[in-house]
Amino acid sequence: MTIKLFNTINRKKEEFIPVNKDKVTMYVCGPTVYSHPHIGNARAAVIPDILFRLLSSKYDEVVYIRNITDVDDKISEAANKSNKTVNDISSKFTKIYHANMRSLGIISPTFEPKVTDSIPAIINAIQNILDLGYAYISEKHVLFDTVKYKEYGQLSKKNFDEMIDGARVEIASYKKCPRDFVLWKPSDSTMPGWDSPWGIGRPGWHIECTSMIKEIIGKESTLDIHGGGNDLIFPHHENEIAQGNCMSSAKYCNYWFHNGIVLVDKKKMSKSLGNVILIEDLLKNHSPITIRLALLSAHYRQPLNWTDRTITDSHTLITKYRSSIGNIEVTEKPKQTDNEILDILSDDLNTPEAITYLSKLSRYAKNNTQDAKKLINAALFLGINLLDKSQSTKVEQVDEDLINKLILERNESRSQGNYKKADEIRDKLVAMRVKIKDLDGKTVWEYISN
Ligand SMILES: [Zn+2]
């Protein structure tokens, strides 16, 4: 099975060949946690989730990293407005994000680094870039010197003027060139800040992702796939490439994977238009699998235009699929692979074609148990469990704090040699449908899927 992906940097569909065939690495820019997740956030999580499932069916190990941006001016603003601390806001919305994504059947990433836990790595990376001469200090800021990096612009293919006109390029007195970007900025007492060689401050957004990637995969390793919404191509991902290529002899990343935006009735979602659709509101009236199927209904590279029809069409399909499988008894554990669904998804993640395939199977499933089973398996590969009768409209509430506390207790028991207690805690977690894995000295967890 050959997986083909559209690689933004080369503007074409290419065969995916990982650096190391036994271990694929993939990073996706995660949420900035300051408000309730909307359908745009959900699409940005469900598309890489399908890619992760596809890669996991072919490769022994897929390391999937998705970060949490828990330092940002938007979070500080939300905290100031509501008289809360930055940490109150970011932990509240991280939990809500996790609960919403879990409801939509999104598998937890292998690693989920938070910016606040990665400050030493970020400071190291900035110092490294400064030492190599690709950055300069000005008015308490550390800035990346884009003139020094000759290949700047290779991802977005923008010329100099287009970059300056870009809405996200800030023109400021401390910059040598307007397209230079901040690696570190000073914080006053109202902003979160950390001690650094350049004074109390906080990192710029772009260096956070690069540092977290390098900290996990290793500084001299090339990332296989870097994903995110296509609104991140410039300047965020362009800047990541500049930083990553300068600080290491290894190429930063081989495949750039971008999903299109979500529109509501052909308009961009915005607070001012009042057309932001939140996941938790959708979950009040629709089953998670209906929402998931709706999010997969457009090709990932195209915009997804969300209308009332999007969700009702999806509901109709789910109802049809369910009625076509009837009360089929599936005694054996459903196989997670179906060659046809794998072939369809291997061609640049063609989810609309995958849905057409489900509908085709559904036409024959009523009279043919084999087709019914195929339908169940193919849907399951897309993260849609047609047999799960518990698919209700309620958001699953899970106590993540308790899970983390139990993991900590288990690790303590293990380090004290009390393996009996460690095993008991593991069993308790399994009863909570939580599977734990010890990876590179860290314990990660995920929900046990059906
Ligand atoms: Zn990022």
Side-chain angles (χ1 to χ4, degrees):
M1 177 179 78
T2 305
I3 296 177
K4 284 186 182 160
L5 293 174
F6 186 87
N7 191 357
T8 310
I9 200 158
N10 295 329
R11 304 290 191 268
K12 62 172 195 267
K13 207 152 72 171
E14 294 173 351
E15 181 180 347
F16 172 68
I17 303 165
V19 178
N20 175 345
K21 67 175 172 39
D22 301 317
K23 187 177 178 179
V24 176
T25 54
M26 158 178 164
Y27 179 90
V28 171
C29 297
T32 302
V33 279
Y34 70 101
S35 62
H36 294 268
H38 52 64
I39 48 176
N41 303 122
R43 190 184 198 204
V46 80
I47 297 294
D49 182 67
I50 297 288
L51 179 59
F52 180 49
R53 286 166 193 259
L54 179 67
L55 292 167
S56 302
S57 74
K58 179 167 178 175
Y59 298 98
D60 287 347
E61 190 182 357
V62 183
V63 174
Y64 173 25
I65 314 159
R66 187 187 63 208
N67 76 305
I68 296 277
T69 300
D70 58 351
V71 184
D72 188 275
D73 291 355
K74 285 183 198 140
I75 306 174
S76 303
E77 225 173 85
N80 289 340
K81 256 190 209 163
S82 54
N83 237 344
K84 299 244 167 68
T85 66
V86 165
N87 186 44
D88 288 339
I89 298 290
S90 61
S91 27
K92 174 183 165 187
F93 287 109
T94 301
K95 273 189 194 167
I96 295 174
Y97 179 80
H98 284 158
N100 282 185
M101 296 310 124
R102 207 157 41 237
S103 297
L104 297 180
I106 290 161
I107 301 171
S108 305
T110 326
F111 292 100
E112 196 175 42
K114 286 181 187 166
V115 174
T116 51
D117 291 337
S118 312
I119 300 293
I122 295 171
I123 291 177
N124 269 340
I126 298 173
Q127 189 62 58
N128 194 197
I129 295 170
L130 265 169
D131 292 344
L132 291 164
Y134 289 104
Y136 58 94
I137 301 168
S138 167
E139 297 176 33
K140 293 185 180 169
H141 291 70
V142 183
L143 291 126
F144 188 92
D145 195 342
T146 53
V147 175
K148 290 262 173 73
Y149 181 60
K150 299 290 174 241
E151 287 86 26
Y152 192 77
Q154 58 194 293
L155 178 68
S156 62
K157 320 269 190 250
K158 283 180 187 289
N159 65 33
F160 188 85
D161 290 338
E162 285 168 337
M163 286 177 191
I164 307 307
D165 291 341
R168 281 179 163 184
V169 172
E170 191 196 348
I171 297 179
S173 63
Y174 46 78
K175 291 184 179 181
K176 280 204 242 173
C177 169
R179 66 177 192 185
D180 292 352
F181 56 90
V182 166
L183 298 174
W184 188 264
K185 53 190 162 188
S187 292
D188 61 21
S189 59
T190 64
M191 290 285 176
W194 289 264
D195 201 9
S196 82
W198 321 288
I200 304 278
R202 59 198 193 281
W205 173 35
H206 318 300
I207 193 66
E208 296 168 356
C209 288
T210 305
S211 310
M212 290 186 275
I213 290 169
K214 290 295 188 189
E215 196 185 18
I216 293 171
I217 70 165
K219 190 166 160 265
E220 296 303 323
S221 297
T222 297
L223 182 71
D224 286 311
I225 303 172
H226 193 312
N230 61 10
D231 54 333
L232 300 181
I233 295 173
F234 186 82
H236 186 49
H237 291 163
E238 193 74 82
N239 293 350
E240 277 196 46
I241 294 177
Q243 299 162 154
N245 280 348
C246 288
M247 66 189 274
S248 159
S249 58
K251 184 180 170 189
Y252 185 56
C253 168
N254 281 333
Y255 297 86
W256 287 89
F257 173 83
H258 291 106
N259 64 270
I261 57 165
V262 177
L263 301 169
V264 174
D265 294 320
K266 294 192 179 162
K267 290 194 187 81
K268 224 176 153 177
M269 263 192 293
S270 76
K271 264 193 185 158
S272 55
L273 286 175
N275 63 352
V276 177
I277 299 177
L278 302 181
I279 298 304
E280 59 183 22
D281 287 338
L282 282 177
L283 284 166
K284 285 176 193 155
N285 298 311
H286 306 282
S287 75
I289 57 174
T290 303
I291 304 166
R292 189 172 167 104
L293 191 75
L295 289 165
L296 296 173
S297 61
H299 192 275
Y300 80 92
R301 286 198 279 125
Q302 302 300 322
L304 168 63
N305 183 35
W306 193 276
T307 65
D308 290 340
R309 281 282 308 266
T310 313
I311 196 82
T312 50
D313 285 355
S314 174
H315 178 75
T316 309
L317 282 177
I318 293 285
T319 312
K320 192 170 95 183
Y321 298 163
R322 278 193 158 154
S323 95
S324 73
I325 56 173
N327 286 322
I328 186 171
E329 285 286 327
V330 179
T331 42
E332 76 266 43
K333 205 171 159 24
K335 271 190 284 166
Q336 299 253 336
T337 43
D338 171 304
N339 283 341
E340 280 193 70
I341 196 87
L342 290 181
D343 284 346
I344 293 167
L345 294 174
S346 295
D347 184 14
D348 198 25
L349 234 60
N350 195 341
T351 58
E353 189 62 35
I355 295 172
T356 306
Y357 174 60
L358 297 187
S359 299
K360 188 181 107 188
L361 287 173
S362 150
R363 281 201 289 279
Y364 305 111
K366 258 194 179 127
N367 307 313
N368 186 326
T369 317
Q370 278 316 313
D371 282 330
K373 284 185 181 171
K374 265 190 175 180
L375 171 60
I376 293 164
N377 287 340
L380 200 60
F381 193 83
L382 292 172
I384 292 167
N385 187 351
L386 298 170
L387 297 174
D388 184 2
K389 299 284 190 285
S390 71
Q391 278 280 343
S392 69
T393 55
K394 275 175 93 188
V395 186
E396 198 185 343
Q397 288 296 337
V398 190
D399 191 347
E400 282 186 22
D401 289 345
L402 177 64
I403 294 169
N404 289 326
K405 197 173 142 247
L406 286 169
I407 289 175
L408 214 68
E409 271 179 37
R410 173 178 165 268
N411 290 348
E412 274 172 22
S413 306
R414 269 161 45 114
S415 64
Q416 290 158 4
N418 190 348
Y419 293 105
K420 190 171 168 261
K421 191 175 170 201
D423 286 346
E424 278 168 16
I425 297 172
R426 180 191 280 265
D427 292 344
K428 199 168 171 182
L429 286 162
V430 169
M432 291 165 72
R433 305 186 57 73
V434 169
K435 185 167 85 183
I436 51 176
K437 247 199 239 170
D438 297 307
L439 266 180
D440 300 334
K442 278 187 187 172
T443 305
V444 294
W445 62 271
E446 65 182 29
Y447 281 90
I448 298 168
S449 52
N450 291 305

